[in-house]
Amino acid sequence: KLASKINSLGGSHSGRPPVIFNPDFFVEKLRHENPEVFLELVLSNITRLIDLPGTEFSQLLGEESPKTPTGGNGGFFRSFNFLKRKDKGVVFGTPLTESCIAQIYQLIEYLSKNLHVEGLFRVPGNSIRQQGLRELLNSGADVDLESGDFHPNDVATLLKTFLGELPEPLLTHRHFHAHLKIADITLFDEHGNKTATPNKERQIEALQLLFLLLPQANRSLLKLLLDLLYHTAKQQDKNKMSTFNLALMFAPHVLWPRHMTASDLKDNLKKLNNSMAFLIKHSQKLFRGLCQTAFHWNKGSADQGKMQMT
């Protein structure tokens, strides 16, 4: 597991009082003050856990356009046309921003109070009410979802619609192959032979690292979404929505490359659905671990900014 404390970033090496420990603060501090070192550290630890061939490694860095699992471009890149849209205040069908999330959070907050509703996320809402709610959100309005004008199924369906209309999946195109490799991390037996048993601890560690490479807005929404789905599944005795049911519905929005069909993804479909279920099931560990993921100065080299993960 990665170290959960930072030895000297708080300033103790220079005689200043230490800063109250906050791993997220130090991770973000490094990200902004020394992005090259930050990226090098994260990537070196990701490649310690998974094997990424040159092309896939370049894709992770954004140096090469991602390819579809079938090797063709097809509709995979059509969604990038949306990146040119700059409709002020529009939430749906535009690149993800923190202001978009502020609007969508209204849906998430409301749903978190209605997790008992049977068929939540499965039963479609009323299309007319959804259109009205969509227009309100696009206008930047604060919506009174407690007024009774909307049903939880309207809100749940619209949240899925929002995710489905993002220009790329929440976990991004460039990370697609890394997620497939993480799903293949398994335990070894006493003779050093690979088994079919997933190595959950290393999978969680790899995901924590990969999350650090996500854009901030994607990371923020991912945490909110997985937390909502985790607590939805916790109430499956009432809502009849298991972790795997939810994974089937959300994997296309979170993991699948855009405009790819189940047929296109047939060789990876089971793996992607299982990966989504894993994200939901372990979301509390993933994000608690992400807060604990930290960097520390190499002894004697803090002034040079040389850092490492352990």
Side-chain angles (χ1 to χ4, degrees):
K1 225 171 185 180
L2 298 177
S4 62
K5 80 174 190 176
I6 300 164
N7 294 332
S8 304
L9 268 175
S12 58
H13 63 278
S14 62
R16 295 191 300 272
V19 176
I20 295 173
F21 175 58
N22 181 343
D24 273 351
F25 168 79
F26 292 114
V27 170
E28 291 306 314
K29 178 181 173 70
L30 178 62
R31 185 200 301 273
H32 292 292
E33 292 185 356
N34 205 331
E36 291 183 0
V37 171
F38 174 87
L39 182 61
E40 182 181 347
L41 289 170
V42 174
L43 290 173
S44 66
N45 279 272
I46 286 177
T47 54
R48 173 176 57 84
L49 296 166
I50 57 176
D51 176 34
L52 287 174
T55 300
E56 294 176 9
F57 187 77
S58 295
Q59 290 171 13
L60 185 61
L61 289 174
E63 295 174 349
E64 186 168 327
S65 297
K67 300 294 189 293
T68 60
T70 53
N73 292 339
F76 190 82
F77 299 103
R78 291 179 207 153
S79 58
F80 283 97
N81 292 328
F82 283 98
L83 295 176
K84 299 175 182 177
R85 291 184 56 173
K86 305 234 179 240
D87 303 331
K88 186 175 180 181
V90 173
V91 171
F92 289 80
T94 61
L96 189 61
T97 64
E98 294 291 348
S99 61
C100 286
I101 296 173
Q103 285 297 86
I104 293 303
Y105 180 70
Q106 297 180 79
L107 306 184
I108 294 173
E109 185 179 36
Y110 174 75
L111 290 170
S112 70
K113 301 172 184 176
N114 291 275
L115 299 179
H116 61 281
V117 175
E118 186 170 342
L120 193 66
F121 295 113
R122 186 184 73 242
V123 178
N126 177 278
S127 59
I128 295 175
R129 292 196 299 260
Q130 287 175 58
Q131 183 60 35
L133 180 54
R134 178 188 179 112
E135 290 172 1
L136 286 170
L137 292 169
N138 271 340
S139 72
D142 291 332
V143 185
D144 181 10
L145 291 170
E146 304 291 348
S147 65
D149 293 338
F150 303 100
H151 188 276
N153 287 337
D154 303 332
V155 178
T157 303
L158 195 61
L159 176 59
K160 287 195 296 182
T161 299
F162 168 78
L163 292 168
E165 292 184 7
L166 288 173
E168 62 176 336
L170 192 55
L171 288 176
T172 74
H173 287 135
R174 67 170 60 175
H175 291 187
F176 176 72
H177 289 287
H179 282 286
L180 293 179
K181 292 291 177 67
I182 289 171
D184 286 334
I185 298 176
T186 58
L187 294 170
F188 289 84
D189 62 22
E190 64 274 16
H191 303 295
N193 299 312
K194 192 172 184 178
T195 70
T197 306
N199 188 332
K200 294 180 181 179
E201 287 191 9
R202 289 177 75 85
Q203 286 176 326
I204 288 172
E205 183 182 357
L207 287 166
Q208 290 168 352
L209 289 161
L210 205 56
F211 289 172
L212 290 174
L213 298 181
L214 285 172
Q216 178 60 51
N218 293 62
R219 200 160 64 247
S220 297
L221 182 57
L222 179 67
K223 185 180 188 307
L224 291 170
L225 177 65
L226 291 182
D227 192 60
L228 176 67
L229 298 181
Y230 172 82
H231 288 289
T232 301
K234 291 282 281 186
Q235 293 200 35
Q236 65 175 304
D237 58 322
K238 298 174 183 175
N239 58 42
K240 313 303 180 189
M241 298 302 297
S242 68
T243 296
F244 196 69
N245 293 151
L246 294 166
L248 291 176
M249 277 178 268
F250 281 89
H253 306 312
V254 175
L255 282 164
W256 289 19
R258 285 292 182 254
H259 303 293
M260 296 295 290
T261 66
S263 176
D264 294 327
L265 292 167
K266 60 182 182 298
D267 293 336
N268 294 307
L269 191 57
K270 183 176 180 181
K271 188 182 295 185
L272 291 169
N273 290 335
N274 287 338
S275 293
M276 186 67 216
F278 186 91
L279 291 174
I280 296 170
K281 183 177 180 180
H282 298 284
S283 62
Q284 308 303 296
K285 291 181 181 178
L286 283 169
F287 285 98
R288 185 172 64 244
L290 181 57
C291 290
Q292 292 172 352
T293 297
F295 305 87
H296 69 269
W297 296 105
N298 274 331
K299 290 181 181 179
S301 60
D303 291 338
Q304 287 73 37
K306 295 179 180 176
M307 307 181 75
Q308 67 178 11
M309 283 182 174
T310 59

